[in-house]
Amino acid sequence: MPKIDFLNVSKQFGRIVAVKDLNFTIEDGEYLSFLGPSGCGKTTTLRLLSGLILPTKGKILWDGKPIQDLPPDLRDIGYVFQQFAIFPHMNLYENVAYPLEVRGFSTIDVEETVEEYLKLVGLENKAHLFPRDVGAADLQRTGVARVLARGAKVLLLDEPYGALDFKVREEFQDEMRRIVKELKLTAIHVTHDQSEAMAISDRVAIMKKGSMIQLASPTELLFNPSQIFSAHFVGEANFLEGIVSEKNHEYILVETVDGWNFKVTRSFESFLIGDRVIMGFRKGFAKVLTNNQEKVLNIIKGDVLSDRYLGEKRRTKIHLEFGRSIEIMQLPHEPVLAKGDAITIEILPENILLFRYPARGLEDALEVT
Ligand code: ATP
């Protein structure tokens, strides 16, 4: 429901900078996820918004009003954790009713509210059951009903599906998104699981070492990442170093350090001949060529290191010259390759992601911690 702004928000714990200079807006009714490796500052950001901790500097605005110094109970926020504190001696109805009773709601109001929210999360027929009689997903639903019944307008979800089985998790993701959109809530979700973030969110904030690297829609992150780290952390990509060797109005040519030449037709305008660049391509966007003799541009040749199934995809590792290797993903029905087979792959110009060579090198840009 509300729109939230973070303005130059930083949080330090002693000498540890947990988050630094966060500047972003969560739009009214938006489902936004924070995605990043362990320790990058995701939970700290949620706790700052909930009021459990206060920023070292900066402001947090709730529909334009500063809230950074308000205590948690004066913010209409519901916090959904991986493991809810569900009272074991109360049935599901009583668990949802309890905070309302504490707040002095009339019996009739408690009844109406609890029924409404138990129905919303699909627990209307399980209200009489005790926590020991239901599974982890229903406990989580009870927790969600409880924070919503209390009137939360913003939902903070911190790895909320961590305790759930894979299949149940997928259902729950759909369910949470439906609830958030139906009630027009604003939701902020923390996860280190990229597929979860991509499946559920309107936008995803990529975090690294306390900073926000990119905030964009899942499609934008996949097809147009602005940073090497986003391209690396969302989806899977290979990166090759090169130099811009030619430029005209329609494309540039990049020569990689291994001597392969690539035509690049996307987002090349700001690059100049001689610029040192990193060229990225998604592992699923490379095509294995069978009769390739005449092609000289946008190909890489190597030999197969391994070709194996991982889930429903085939992953083919390719050894290049100078000891480097890359990996591509193929559909399962493509011909299986043997170790040592010569292989040529093609990456179309429009599937190449181009980045400036990072000041501290590629390894540093890819580092997750
Ligand atoms: P995870 O996915 O592992 O939960 P995270 O991205 O949520 O990680 P945070 O929990 O926000 O990361 O932590 C960010 C940094 O701040 C880490 O270096 C962490 O050790 C540190 N930190 C967080 N809370 C405290 C605290 N109360 N005291 C000291 N350091 C803290």
Side-chain angles (χ1 to χ4, degrees):
M1 276 177 208
K3 171 183 164 214
I4 311 256
D5 293 294
F6 273 60
L7 303 177
N8 286 317
V9 175
S10 296
K11 176 67 186 175
Q12 266 180 257
F13 295 102
R15 285 166 55 196
I16 297 172
V17 182
V19 294
K20 55 176 179 271
D21 297 327
L22 294 182
N23 277 296
F24 64 95
T25 297
I26 308 160
E27 300 295 344
D28 179 356
E30 185 171 33
Y31 201 122
L32 189 137
S33 291
F34 282 90
L35 177 67
S38 189
C40 69
K42 306 180 295 290
T43 299
T44 301
T45 311
L46 277 202
R47 294 177 75 215
L48 285 165
L49 182 49
S50 71
L52 289 172
I53 53 172
L54 302 180
T56 311
K57 75 175 177 77
K59 282 188 181 166
I60 302 173
L61 307 183
W62 178 291
D63 279 337
K65 293 195 194 90
I67 55 155
Q68 68 277 356
D69 298 321
L70 278 188
D73 52 335
L74 294 183
R75 307 182 188 194
D76 292 333
I77 280 175
Y79 212 136
V80 180
F81 298 96
Q82 190 179 115
Q83 298 283 1
F84 261 111
I86 299 295
F87 304 119
H89 59 288
M90 293 181 185
N91 66 24
L92 303 190
Y93 179 97
E94 289 159 348
N95 260 286
V96 179
Y98 180 70
L100 303 176
E101 286 162 354
V102 169
R103 287 180 174 202
F105 277 47
S106 70
T107 312
I108 184 86
D109 279 350
V110 170
E111 251 179 57
E112 272 180 12
T113 312
V114 175
E115 275 165 20
E116 178 188 344
Y117 285 97
L118 281 177
K119 188 161 180 232
L120 181 79
V121 299
L123 287 179
E124 65 271 38
N125 298 324
K126 296 186 179 173
H128 60 289
L129 296 178
F130 281 82
R132 64 177 173 275
D133 303 322
V134 299
D138 283 343
L139 291 181
Q140 203 65 334
R141 288 186 182 100
T142 310
V144 171
R146 190 162 72 189
V147 296
L148 292 177
R150 259 189 5 226
K153 295 186 172 62
V154 172
L155 261 193
L156 305 183
L157 304 119
D158 196 346
E159 301 275 2
Y161 315 128
L164 306 180
D165 290 342
F166 177 68
K167 275 278 165 214
V168 181
R169 199 185 297 188
E170 278 193 351
E171 271 172 38
F172 213 85
Q173 287 170 1
D174 290 344
E175 225 173 295
M176 280 312 299
R177 193 174 155 89
R178 171 188 61 81
I179 290 171
V180 166
K181 293 296 169 187
E182 210 171 298
L183 300 185
K184 299 188 166 56
L185 302 169
T186 303
I188 301 109
H189 183 124
V190 156
T191 179
H192 59 263
D193 178 345
Q194 59 155 299
S195 49
E196 182 169 300
M198 301 292 269
I200 204 166
S201 319
D202 297 316
R203 285 189 302 161
V204 180
I206 307 291
M207 303 273 293
K208 179 184 179 182
K209 294 181 181 171
S211 296
M212 192 178 286
I213 298 288
Q214 190 175 1
L215 173 56
S217 69
T219 312
E220 188 75 0
L221 284 173
L222 210 51
F223 293 102
N224 208 11
S226 65
Q227 308 288 327
I228 292 174
F229 186 74
S230 318
H232 175 55
F233 205 76
V234 175
E236 293 183 57
N238 293 291
F239 298 96
L240 300 170
E241 189 187 331
I243 299 274
V244 178
S245 58
E246 220 179 291
K247 178 171 183 178
N248 62 37
H249 291 303
E250 283 159 25
Y251 62 86
I252 57 173
L253 283 185
V254 173
E255 183 177 351
T256 70
V257 290
D258 310 57
W260 305 109
N261 288 289
F262 288 86
K263 193 174 179 181
V264 183
T265 52
R266 281 172 35 141
S267 311
F268 66 89
E269 292 79 2
S270 67
F271 291 88
L272 299 172
I273 292 175
D275 280 353
R276 199 173 173 198
V277 294
I278 296 293
M279 215 193 68
F281 63 93
R282 296 282 176 209
K283 292 184 180 179
F285 287 5
K287 191 172 144 212
V288 177
L289 294 185
T290 41
N291 49 355
N292 55 287
Q293 305 316 322
E294 72 285 4
K295 288 205 169 154
V296 286
L297 275 183
N298 292 51
I299 60 160
I300 300 177
K301 292 183 182 188
D303 48 84
V304 173
L305 277 174
S306 63
D307 188 20
R308 61 196 174 99
Y309 285 97
L310 210 87
E312 288 175 357
K313 293 267 169 66
R314 284 237 321 284
R315 284 177 182 264
T316 310
K317 261 204 173 125
I318 303 168
H319 171 255
L320 309 180
E321 279 180 42
F322 311 117
R324 278 173 233 270
S325 64
I326 55 171
E327 187 180 73
I328 60 167
M329 288 198 294
Q330 301 193 71
L331 294 171
H333 58 261
E334 301 289 346
V336 177
L337 299 156
K339 186 167 191 278
D341 279 356
I343 183 170
T344 303
I345 60 165
E346 179 180 28
I347 304 115
L348 297 176
E350 62 270 27
N351 288 332
I352 293 175
L353 311 166
L354 200 61
F355 306 98
R356 280 193 192 285
Y357 191 84
R360 289 202 227 132
L362 179 59
E363 254 180 53
D364 179 81
L366 296 176
E367 216 175 67
V368 288
T369 50

